[in-house]
PDB file of all heavy atoms in Angstrom:
ATOM      1  N   MET M 113     -20.514  31.494  11.001  1.00 97.00           N
ATOM      2  CA  MET M 113     -19.121  31.907  11.064  1.00 97.00           C
ATOM      3  C   MET M 113     -18.560  31.710  12.474  1.00 97.00           C
ATOM      4  O   MET M 113     -19.206  32.037  13.473  1.00 97.00           O
ATOM      5  CB  MET M 113     -18.967  33.375  10.658  1.00 97.00           C
ATOM      6  CG  MET M 113     -19.526  33.692   9.274  1.00 97.00           C
ATOM      7  SD  MET M 113     -18.894  32.618   7.950  1.00 97.00           S
ATOM      8  CE  MET M 113     -17.156  33.096   7.946  1.00 97.00           C
ATOM      9  N   ILE M 114     -17.354  31.146  12.538  1.00 97.00           N
ATOM     10  CA  ILE M 114     -16.685  30.846  13.805  1.00 97.00           C
ATOM     11  C   ILE M 114     -15.724  31.980  14.163  1.00 97.00           C
ATOM     12  O   ILE M 114     -14.983  32.479  13.311  1.00 97.00           O
ATOM     13  CB  ILE M 114     -15.899  29.525  13.701  1.00 97.00           C
ATOM     14  CG1 ILE M 114     -16.841  28.353  13.389  1.00 97.00           C
ATOM     15  CG2 ILE M 114     -15.127  29.252  14.987  1.00 97.00           C
ATOM     16  CD1 ILE M 114     -16.108  27.066  13.050  1.00 97.00           C
ATOM     17  N   SER M 115     -15.714  32.365  15.432  1.00 96.00           N
ATOM     18  CA  SER M 115     -14.772  33.378  15.911  1.00 96.00           C
ATOM     19  C   SER M 115     -13.462  32.718  16.312  1.00 96.00           C
ATOM     20  O   SER M 115     -13.459  31.648  16.919  1.00 96.00           O
ATOM     21  CB  SER M 115     -15.347  34.125  17.121  1.00 96.00           C
ATOM     22  OG  SER M 115     -16.542  34.793  16.781  1.00 96.00           O
ATOM     23  N   SER M 116     -12.355  33.357  15.970  1.00 96.00           N
ATOM     24  CA  SER M 116     -11.040  32.932  16.444  1.00 96.00           C
ATOM     25  C   SER M 116     -10.519  33.984  17.416  1.00 96.00           C
ATOM     26  O   SER M 116     -10.783  35.180  17.251  1.00 96.00           O
ATOM     27  CB  SER M 116     -10.062  32.760  15.278  1.00 96.00           C
ATOM     28  OG  SER M 116     -10.426  31.670  14.469  1.00 96.00           O
ATOM     29  N   TYR M 117      -9.792  33.538  18.412  1.00 97.00           N
ATOM     30  CA  TYR M 117      -9.289  34.420  19.460  1.00 97.00           C
ATOM     31  C   TYR M 117      -7.760  34.332  19.504  1.00 97.00           C
ATOM     32  O   TYR M 117      -7.182  33.256  19.285  1.00 97.00           O
ATOM     33  CB  TYR M 117      -9.887  34.033  20.813  1.00 97.00           C
ATOM     34  CG  TYR M 117     -11.397  34.011  20.801  1.00 97.00           C
ATOM     35  CD1 TYR M 117     -12.090  32.816  20.587  1.00 97.00           C
ATOM     36  CD2 TYR M 117     -12.134  35.184  20.961  1.00 97.00           C
ATOM     37  CE1 TYR M 117     -13.482  32.794  20.552  1.00 97.00           C
ATOM     38  CE2 TYR M 117     -13.521  35.171  20.921  1.00 97.00           C
ATOM     39  CZ  TYR M 117     -14.197  33.974  20.719  1.00 97.00           C
ATOM     40  OH  TYR M 117     -15.558  33.955  20.672  1.00 97.00           O
ATOM     41  N   GLN M 126     -10.286  28.707  19.449  1.00 98.00           N
ATOM     42  CA  GLN M 126     -11.715  28.806  19.163  1.00 98.00           C
ATOM     43  C   GLN M 126     -12.487  28.184  20.318  1.00 98.00           C
ATOM     44  O   GLN M 126     -11.938  27.389  21.095  1.00 98.00           O
ATOM     45  CB  GLN M 126     -12.056  28.114  17.839  1.00 98.00           C
ATOM     46  CG  GLN M 126     -11.445  28.819  16.631  1.00 98.00           C
ATOM     47  CD  GLN M 126     -11.754  28.146  15.318  1.00 98.00           C
ATOM     48  OE1 GLN M 126     -12.184  27.007  15.252  1.00 98.00           O
ATOM     49  NE2 GLN M 126     -11.491  28.859  14.217  1.00 98.00           N
ATOM     50  N   ASP M 127     -13.764  28.557  20.426  1.00 98.00           N
ATOM     51  CA  ASP M 127     -14.603  28.103  21.526  1.00 98.00           C
ATOM     52  C   ASP M 127     -15.360  26.845  21.102  1.00 98.00           C
ATOM     53  O   ASP M 127     -16.261  26.918  20.254  1.00 98.00           O
ATOM     54  CB  ASP M 127     -15.601  29.210  21.891  1.00 98.00           C
ATOM     55  CG  ASP M 127     -16.495  28.849  23.069  1.00 98.00           C
ATOM     56  OD1 ASP M 127     -16.430  27.683  23.530  1.00 98.00           O
ATOM     57  OD2 ASP M 127     -17.264  29.721  23.515  1.00 98.00           O
ATOM     58  N   PRO M 128     -15.041  25.675  21.657  1.00 98.00           N
ATOM     59  CA  PRO M 128     -15.714  24.444  21.240  1.00 98.00           C
ATOM     60  C   PRO M 128     -17.199  24.433  21.560  1.00 98.00           C
ATOM     61  O   PRO M 128     -17.998  23.827  20.834  1.00 98.00           O
ATOM     62  CB  PRO M 128     -14.960  23.346  22.002  1.00 98.00           C
ATOM     63  CG  PRO M 128     -14.328  24.040  23.159  1.00 98.00           C
ATOM     64  CD  PRO M 128     -14.014  25.413  22.694  1.00 98.00           C
ATOM     65  N   VAL M 129     -17.591  25.093  22.656  1.00 98.00           N
ATOM     66  CA  VAL M 129     -19.010  25.162  23.008  1.00 98.00           C
ATOM     67  C   VAL M 129     -19.775  25.908  21.927  1.00 98.00           C
ATOM     68  O   VAL M 129     -20.854  25.476  21.486  1.00 98.00           O
ATOM     69  CB  VAL M 129     -19.197  25.831  24.385  1.00 98.00           C
ATOM     70  CG1 VAL M 129     -20.682  26.013  24.704  1.00 98.00           C
ATOM     71  CG2 VAL M 129     -18.514  25.010  25.476  1.00 98.00           C
ATOM     72  N   GLU M 130     -19.223  27.032  21.478  1.00 98.00           N
ATOM     73  CA  GLU M 130     -19.845  27.810  20.404  1.00 98.00           C
ATOM     74  C   GLU M 130     -19.955  26.985  19.123  1.00 98.00           C
ATOM     75  O   GLU M 130     -21.008  26.984  18.454  1.00 98.00           O
ATOM     76  CB  GLU M 130     -19.016  29.069  20.123  1.00 98.00           C
ATOM     77  CG  GLU M 130     -19.524  29.906  18.964  1.00 98.00           C
ATOM     78  CD  GLU M 130     -18.583  31.042  18.592  1.00 98.00           C
ATOM     79  OE1 GLU M 130     -17.506  30.766  18.023  1.00 98.00           O
ATOM     80  OE2 GLU M 130     -18.933  32.204  18.874  1.00 98.00           O
ATOM     81  N   ILE M 131     -18.894  26.239  18.786  1.00 98.00           N
ATOM     82  CA  ILE M 131     -18.899  25.463  17.540  1.00 98.00           C
ATOM     83  C   ILE M 131     -19.951  24.359  17.599  1.00 98.00           C
ATOM     84  O   ILE M 131     -20.677  24.134  16.613  1.00 98.00           O
ATOM     85  CB  ILE M 131     -17.497  24.889  17.262  1.00 98.00           C
ATOM     86  CG1 ILE M 131     -16.515  26.035  16.985  1.00 98.00           C
ATOM     87  CG2 ILE M 131     -17.532  23.916  16.079  1.00 98.00           C
ATOM     88  CD1 ILE M 131     -15.064  25.611  16.918  1.00 98.00           C
ATOM     89  N   GLU M 132     -20.071  23.675  18.732  1.00 98.00           N
ATOM     90  CA  GLU M 132     -21.101  22.635  18.852  1.00 98.00           C
ATOM     91  C   GLU M 132     -22.491  23.234  18.711  1.00 98.00           C
ATOM     92  O   GLU M 132     -23.366  22.669  18.032  1.00 98.00           O
ATOM     93  CB  GLU M 132     -20.949  21.923  20.202  1.00 98.00           C
ATOM     94  CG  GLU M 132     -21.842  20.700  20.374  1.00 98.00           C
ATOM     95  CD  GLU M 132     -23.204  21.015  20.951  1.00 98.00           C
ATOM     96  OE1 GLU M 132     -23.323  22.019  21.688  1.00 98.00           O
ATOM     97  OE2 GLU M 132     -24.165  20.269  20.651  1.00 98.00           O
ATOM     98  N   GLN M 133     -22.722  24.382  19.320  1.00 98.00           N
ATOM     99  CA  GLN M 133     -24.020  25.049  19.194  1.00 98.00           C
ATOM    100  C   GLN M 133     -24.280  25.477  17.748  1.00 98.00           C
ATOM    101  O   GLN M 133     -25.400  25.347  17.243  1.00 98.00           O
ATOM    102  CB  GLN M 133     -24.076  26.252  20.126  1.00 98.00           C
ATOM    103  CG  GLN M 133     -24.088  25.873  21.600  1.00 98.00           C
ATOM    104  CD  GLN M 133     -23.931  27.067  22.522  1.00 98.00           C
ATOM    105  OE1 GLN M 133     -23.627  28.186  22.091  1.00 98.00           O
ATOM    106  NE2 GLN M 133     -24.132  26.840  23.814  1.00 98.00           N
ATOM    107  N   PHE M 134     -23.235  25.971  17.086  1.00 98.00           N
ATOM    108  CA  PHE M 134     -23.382  26.368  15.684  1.00 98.00           C
ATOM    109  C   PHE M 134     -23.710  25.161  14.806  1.00 98.00           C
ATOM    110  O   PHE M 134     -24.458  25.274  13.832  1.00 98.00           O
ATOM    111  CB  PHE M 134     -22.103  27.038  15.186  1.00 98.00           C
ATOM    112  CG  PHE M 134     -21.941  28.469  15.624  1.00 98.00           C
ATOM    113  CD1 PHE M 134     -20.804  29.181  15.286  1.00 98.00           C
ATOM    114  CD2 PHE M 134     -22.906  29.110  16.378  1.00 98.00           C
ATOM    115  CE1 PHE M 134     -20.638  30.502  15.671  1.00 98.00           C
ATOM    116  CE2 PHE M 134     -22.752  30.439  16.791  1.00 98.00           C
ATOM    117  CZ  PHE M 134     -21.620  31.126  16.432  1.00 98.00           C
ATOM    118  N   ALA M 135     -23.115  23.999  15.126  1.00 98.00           N
ATOM    119  CA  ALA M 135     -23.392  22.796  14.345  1.00 98.00           C
ATOM    120  C   ALA M 135     -24.865  22.423  14.450  1.00 98.00           C
ATOM    121  O   ALA M 135     -25.518  22.081  13.453  1.00 98.00           O
ATOM    122  CB  ALA M 135     -22.502  21.644  14.814  1.00 98.00           C
TER     123      ALA M 135
END
Side-chain angles (χ1 to χ4, degrees):
M113 304 307 294
I114 299 171
S115 299
S116 292
Y117 305 96
Q126 293 179 345
D127 182 353
V129 175
E130 176 188 72
I131 294 171
E132 188 271 333
Q133 292 171 350
F134 282 178

